[in-house]
Structures are given as C-alpha cells and as structure tokens.
Amino acid sequence: MPNQHHTTPCKIAILVSGHGRGSNMAAIIDACQSGDVPASVSVVVGTRRDAPAMERARTAGVETVVLSPRAFDGDDQAYADAILQILAQRKIDLVCLAGYMRILPSSIVAAYRNRVMNIHPALLPLFGGPGMYGEHVHKAVLESGMKLSGCTVHFVDEQYDTGPIVVQAAVPVEDCDTPESLAARVLGAEHRAYVDAVRLFARGRLRTEGRYVRVLPEGDPI
Ligand code: GRF
C-alpha cells in the first residue's frame, strides 16, 4: 500500500475493547478537535456500550458503534466484515487501536496495511507479545533492571506487537517505581507519542519500507 498523502482531512476510526478507559483515544480526539492534528475522528468502535472509553467518545460528540464479537457466534469473519463495512462507509484513512486488547482480524490488517496503528506501553521489540499487556509489561520492565522504559506506536501486522515502528518515546525508570507509578509515567508519554504519530500520518509524512518507517521532512514533495 503506498503511503497516503491526504488532500482531504484524514479520517480516523478508533477501536477500543472491553472496559477500556480511553485516555489515548481522548488524546487523539482532543488533538483533532483543537486543530493540532489535521484529521477528524469519524467513529469509535467498541465492544461494550458501557465502557468508559465509549462514554468519553459520546461526550466528545464522536459517533460510537458497539460491535460485540460474541454477538457473531464465533464467526470471526462476520465480525471482521462488520468492522470493514463501518470503515468503508465512512471512508476511513487511518485506524487507531487504543486499548483494543484483541488480535485484529487478518482481513482488516490486509485491507488497511500500514494504515492501522497501535500503541504499546514499552519500548518494542522488548516486552511485547502475547500476555504482555497492562501491568504485566511494567512488572517485567522493573524485574529486568532496565533504567529506561517508554512506549511504541507501530503499524499493526498479523501478530502481537511486531509491526513497523512509527514513533517511540522513552521515560526513566526510577528506583522507587512500582508497576503503577511506572505505568502512569509511560501513559503521559503515550498520549504525546500517539498524537505525534497520527499527525505524521495525517500530513502524509510516513513512508514504510519493509520494517522501517521513514519520516519525511516537513514540506517534502511526496
Ligand atoms: C495503554 O497503556 C496502551 O498502551 C495499551 O492499552 C492501554 C490503554 O489505555 N495498548 P487507555 O484506554 O488509552 O487509557
């Protein structure tokens, strides 16, 4: 898939799951609504109507759609097709996973190659993969003795946390850190990094070459 250069403002769909709190989602919505990022969030798709993330999206005036994978009786393709239809109907350019704790159906990955981003609360390729989510990540970082942690925004491929890296930000690990205190420091970095990544995408400045995502200088002809 060639890299996108948006002549019309970039349209974003955000996917959340479960009882997600939606702080990364809110950071992206705020950045778009304030004009900081030349894009608009067209829809938030979640798995539960009562999730804090979904309530936050409604409060921000963003359309929400509830799609529970369970309602498809184990038919993963039907679930994937329902998401694909939502994305196509709204002419979505970029899909942002923000607290979407499921593997994205491969038909969506294939249809939106290098147009689906995820955020992970560690410096990939360390501390990623199945089971590495939430406080498990921060516990593993503390146990490793590393002095730095951080976050990674990456394009999504068929596996957990392995796609091309778009933006990373590091934060220090302090001697007195608990998983909770480290998580809170990383979360602040997540909000900035995710907004930065979406801004680069919306400005057409990302060029993916194999596993490497090149950031074009501002104003570079595409
Ligand atoms: C974040 O830590 C993110 O890195 C991970 O899930 C968490 C979502 O938090 N993928 P929030 O819902 O954005 O507040």
Side-chain angles (χ1 to χ4, degrees), residues 20-25 53 56 97-101 118-121 138 187 190-191:
R21 86 197 131 180
S23 71
N24 280 285
M25 175 209 74
R56 240 163 140 163
L97 308 186
Y100 184 78
M101 313 306 250
N118 180 46
I119 183 137
H120 183 75
H138 305 294
L187 191 63
E190 289 184 41
H191 300 157

Side-chain angles (χ1 to χ4, degrees), residues 65-132:
V65 176
V66 180
L67 276 186
S68 167
R70 278 198 217 136
F72 294 88
D73 285 334
D75 185 346
D76 289 348
Q77 193 52 52
Y79 171 64
D81 288 345
I83 296 178
L84 282 168
Q85 195 181 5
I86 289 166
L87 303 179
Q89 280 167 348
R90 290 159 186 77
K91 298 188 166 39
I92 294 301
D93 300 295
L94 174 66
V95 178
C96 293
L97 308 186
Y100 184 78
M101 313 306 250
R102 316 174 54 87
I103 195 109
L104 191 67
S106 58
S107 58
I108 302 176
V109 175
Y112 286 81
R113 179 82 54 196
N114 296 333
R115 294 193 294 153
V116 183
M117 286 182 182
N118 180 46
I119 183 137
H120 183 75
L123 293 173
L124 293 174
L126 298 174
F127 309 109
M132 276 294 179

Side-chain angles (χ1 to χ4, degrees), residues 5-212:
H5 186 224
H6 303 286
T7 43
T8 54
C10 171
K11 289 182 165 195
I12 298 172
I14 300 180
L15 268 54
V16 300
S17 69
H19 278 100
R21 86 197 131 180
S23 71
N24 280 285
M25 175 209 74
I28 295 168
I29 292 173
D30 286 352
C32 292
Q33 291 184 342
S34 70
D36 179 25
V37 167
S40 63
V41 178
S42 304
V43 63
V44 173
V45 182
T47 59
R48 297 186 62 111
R49 166 156 296 279
D50 58 353
M54 297 292 269
E55 275 161 27
R56 240 163 140 163
R58 287 191 289 269
T59 304
V62 175
E63 182 196 8
T64 57
V65 176
V66 180
L67 276 186
S68 167
R70 278 198 217 136
F72 294 88
D73 285 334
D75 185 346
D76 289 348
Q77 193 52 52
Y79 171 64
D81 288 345
I83 296 178
L84 282 168
Q85 195 181 5
I86 289 166
L87 303 179
Q89 280 167 348
R90 290 159 186 77
K91 298 188 166 39
I92 294 301
D93 300 295
L94 174 66
V95 178
C96 293
L97 308 186
Y100 184 78
M101 313 306 250
R102 316 174 54 87
I103 195 109
L104 191 67
S106 58
S107 58
I108 302 176
V109 175
Y112 286 81
R113 179 82 54 196
N114 296 333
R115 294 193 294 153
V116 183
M117 286 182 182
N118 180 46
I119 183 137
H120 183 75
L123 293 173
L124 293 174
L126 298 174
F127 309 109
M132 276 294 179
Y133 61 89
E135 76 161 20
H136 301 290
V137 176
H138 305 294
K139 268 190 184 154
V141 170
L142 292 177
E143 279 163 16
S144 77
M146 279 189 67
K147 302 297 187 194
L148 287 175
S149 189
C151 62
T152 304
V153 182
H154 63 93
F155 285 125
V156 170
D157 65 9
E158 281 76 5
Q159 287 145 43
Y160 276 116
D161 306 324
T162 55
I165 292 170
V166 180
V167 169
Q168 290 189 301
V171 303
V173 176
E174 308 286 0
D175 290 343
C176 57
D177 265 332
T178 61
E180 293 74 29
S181 65
L182 180 56
R185 192 174 312 113
V186 170
L187 191 63
E190 289 184 41
H191 300 157
R192 294 186 290 278
Y194 217 162
V195 167
D196 287 348
V198 171
R199 186 188 299 106
L200 289 171
F201 184 96
R203 291 191 177 154
R205 292 182 55 199
L206 299 177
R207 177 131 328 154
T208 307
E209 296 161 357
R211 293 204 46 76
Y212 194 80

